[in-house]
Amino acid sequence: MDREIEMFLRADGSEVWLQSSTRLPYLSLGGVIETSEDYLTVRSRLGRTYELLSGVASDDAFLVQELEAGGGALVFCARSDKNCALVLLGKFDPTLQKRRPCAVLEDLVEVIENAVDGIIRQAGATIRFEVVQPEVAVSAG
């Protein structure tokens, strides 16, 4: 996917985390990093474990996990004001043998819980997610 360095907007006009040259659906868990430390300290810790992605988000974006089945990824985005989001890009398809009615959702919740636990450990801060919402990034220009 070609990336352009420009801001993208949601339908209500507010900024989105991702930057893309095409329409890009994603699922976002928005929240805050709760710590008395400054953001640069938290950012430094995260950068030791996770790859910092450039040109992907309006602020910092760290690749937390590539989801092998389905080609998706979990990306942790954060800003200097300590607002953050865990973003599910692409498709989540665990392709496991268990096929209970809610197996895919249960698997997704487990993957997200494990990712959040890892981010909290690496950041050395409490991260509280407050909202889950589907989004579509579209060009603002």
Side-chain angles (χ1 to χ4, degrees):
M1 161 176 32
D2 293 330
R3 293 189 184 116
E4 298 176 9
I5 305 302
E6 64 178 280
M7 183 56 59
F8 286 76
L9 305 175
R10 292 190 291 233
D12 66 3
S14 59
E15 297 176 354
V16 299
W17 290 100
L18 301 179
Q19 299 180 33
S20 169
S21 61
T22 60
R23 289 175 55 94
L24 178 65
Y26 65 97
L27 181 68
S28 171
L29 286 78
V32 294
I33 301 169
E34 296 177 343
T35 181
S36 60
E37 296 179 308
D38 66 18
Y39 174 68
L40 291 178
T41 301
V42 173
R43 182 182 191 266
S44 173
R45 287 187 195 128
L46 291 171
R48 286 186 226 134
T49 302
Y50 303 115
E51 177 185 353
L52 184 61
L53 303 173
S54 62
V56 172
S58 54
D59 292 283
D60 291 329
F62 300 90
L63 178 61
V64 174
Q65 181 179 355
E66 291 187 66
L67 306 173
E68 294 177 24
L74 285 175
V75 176
F76 182 70
C77 300
R79 298 191 313 216
S80 59
D81 64 3
K82 299 182 187 172
N83 281 296
C84 64
L86 182 62
V87 178
L88 171 63
L89 298 172
K91 184 176 172 182
F92 179 75
D93 179 10
T95 63
L96 299 175
Q97 296 302 321
K98 57 182 179 181
R99 286 295 165 204
R100 296 181 319 278
C102 291
V104 172
L105 183 57
E106 291 167 357
D107 291 344
L108 176 60
V109 168
E110 183 178 342
V111 166
I112 289 172
E113 284 178 341
N114 291 338
V116 169
D117 288 345
I119 295 166
I120 288 170
R121 273 193 312 278
Q122 297 308 318
T126 300
I127 298 173
R128 190 165 323 283
F129 291 103
E130 301 166 341
V131 65
V132 176
Q133 58 190 32
E135 297 288 353
V136 176
V138 293
S139 177

